[in-house]
Amino acid sequence: MALDFAAGCIGGAAGVLVGHPFDTVKVRLQVQNVDRPLYRGTYHCFQSIVRQESMLGLYKGIGSPMMGLTFINAIVFGVQGNAMRRLGHDTPLNQFLAGASAGTIQCVICCPMELAKTRMQMQGTGEKKSKRKMYKNSLDCLVRIYKREGIRGINRGMVTTLLRETPGFGVYFLAYDALTRSLGCEPEDPYMIPKLLFAGGMSGIASWLSTYPVDVIKSRLQADGVGGVHQYSGIADCVRQSVRKEGWRVFTRGLTSTLLRAFPVNATTFATVTLFLLYMREGEEECSIQDSEEPQSVPLQPLQPQAQPTSM
């Protein structure tokens, strides 16, 4: 299990560095005022942020996911691996259930982290140097919210986070398992790394597509209250107002940048985790063979990012 946690930490850090600029674009598009839109689309948003706020504008709020996602991925891959061991059989249903359980547990960290990230990403919109910063950094953001609103404040959006993460991670691990099996990702395969990258990237896309409308509502609820003005009284009110003003297309706002981000981030994360586990377990097997009085040939089993050797 320790290997699962370590692999998750490494994969999480790699994923944040690759994907954060796309996440900033996604959040800006999701929460912009439809009556006075600042951005016409993904490319225009990206271009405007760079022009008005410099390249650093794309990395606003990165402190929160850099701290949080490392631990989140450690929790996700650790819990998923442990759940698979307890479930006993490597079946598609168990892959989904193990992933869903991991997604549920990590919400405790994910919700406050994404609240701080969203608030930081919205701060100083259109300004290269913010004249008046409400928050110094992600930690200061959470402290200020806690002082004003208490525990309930820093867990704003928890229900929508649970509705997104629980089925989302179930689909995530189920899709990765199905793809790696169909592609035949064996350790001796010379094309194993490209196959892992493809499987990880497509798993991320499948996960986001399955829960994206919920993510739009979550972002709007977490951005609500910036500047002291609250627009929504809850999830149902947010859905009702959003659909009335913008139609059903509101649930696809920011989807392009999300999918552009999902492939490289999850390709990097899953490939890093799987390769880390592969080489670490291979080393453990070599050590156990050397320590054995009667060394035997130990075939290397295909690996997945869970703590049991199963066919990918």
Side-chain angles (χ1 to χ4, degrees), residues 1-306:
M1 189 171 179
L3 282 180
D4 296 317
F5 278 103
C9 285
I10 295 169
V16 172
L17 291 173
V18 171
H20 192 77
F22 293 103
D23 186 71
T24 300
V25 171
K26 180 205 77 167
V27 170
R28 294 283 182 93
L29 289 171
Q30 284 180 333
V31 305
Q32 71 173 339
N33 190 327
V34 67
D35 298 320
R36 298 187 301 276
L38 293 174
Y39 314 112
R40 295 190 297 270
T42 301
Y43 178 73
H44 181 248
C45 181
F46 189 93
Q47 187 181 48
S48 298
I49 293 172
V50 172
R51 186 176 64 251
Q52 297 169 359
E53 306 171 43
S54 80
M55 284 295 293
L56 294 177
L58 295 169
Y59 287 92
K60 282 185 176 179
I62 195 173
S64 178
M66 187 58 83
M67 290 186 295
L69 275 178
T70 301
F71 293 109
I72 284 173
N73 272 345
I75 291 171
V76 165
F77 284 98
V79 170
Q80 195 268 350
N82 198 42
M84 284 299 297
R85 283 193 295 273
R86 288 183 176 275
L87 289 168
H89 301 288
D90 184 11
T91 65
L93 176 60
N94 285 349
Q95 287 285 349
F96 180 87
L97 292 175
S101 64
T104 300
I105 291 171
Q106 58 89 41
C107 285
V108 177
I109 298 175
C110 177
C111 183
M113 179 209 77
E114 293 211 346
L115 174 65
K117 174 185 71 66
T118 299
R119 296 290 177 92
M120 291 296 294
Q121 286 173 327
M122 296 304 298
Q123 181 171 257
T125 299
E127 301 175 4
K128 185 170 288 190
K129 289 187 178 180
S130 301
K131 297 175 183 177
R132 179 179 171 272
K133 285 188 176 181
M134 186 177 296
Y135 311 116
K136 297 176 184 176
N137 50 51
S138 298
L139 181 60
D140 180 61
C141 176
L142 289 175
V143 169
R144 287 174 179 270
I145 293 172
Y146 176 75
K147 286 181 178 178
R148 287 198 310 269
E149 305 173 48
I151 291 293
R152 186 175 180 179
I154 62 174
N155 285 294
R156 180 182 293 276
M158 178 61 82
V159 174
T160 46
T161 301
L162 283 165
L163 290 174
R164 184 193 70 178
E165 300 293 83
T166 301
F169 272 100
V171 171
Y172 190 46
F173 282 97
L174 174 61
Y176 185 74
D177 178 66
L179 284 168
T180 50
R181 287 178 189 275
S182 63
L183 291 171
C185 298
E186 305 295 336
E188 63 275 8
D189 187 347
Y191 299 106
M192 183 183 72
I193 293 178
K195 287 179 179 180
L196 290 176
L197 290 169
F198 178 77
M202 293 306 295
S203 300
I205 287 175
S207 176
W208 273 108
L209 287 174
S210 68
T211 59
Y212 191 76
V214 180
D215 184 68
V216 174
I217 300 304
K218 182 198 73 70
S219 293
R220 293 192 169 203
L221 288 172
Q222 291 188 324
D224 191 37
V226 174
V229 180
H230 290 278
Q231 186 177 354
Y232 310 115
S233 60
I235 297 173
D237 183 52
C238 182
V239 172
R240 187 166 50 248
Q241 288 193 46
S242 299
V243 172
R244 187 176 67 246
K245 290 180 180 179
E246 304 167 59
W248 293 103
R249 288 186 63 185
V250 67
F251 296 116
T252 62
R253 281 193 177 275
L255 181 59
T256 301
S257 61
T258 298
L259 297 183
L260 287 173
R261 167 183 176 266
F263 191 92
V265 166
N266 293 288
T268 303
T269 300
F270 257 126
T272 301
V273 169
T274 304
L275 291 172
F276 177 83
L277 292 175
L278 174 67
Y279 292 124
M280 290 299 292
R281 289 173 187 164
E282 185 178 11
E284 285 183 350
E285 287 176 351
E286 289 176 355
C287 289
S288 64
I289 292 172
Q290 290 175 1
D291 293 340
S292 174
E293 292 181 3
E294 296 180 12
Q296 297 179 355
S297 176
V298 180
L300 183 60
Q301 298 294 322
L303 292 170
Q304 293 187 38
Q306 63 236 16

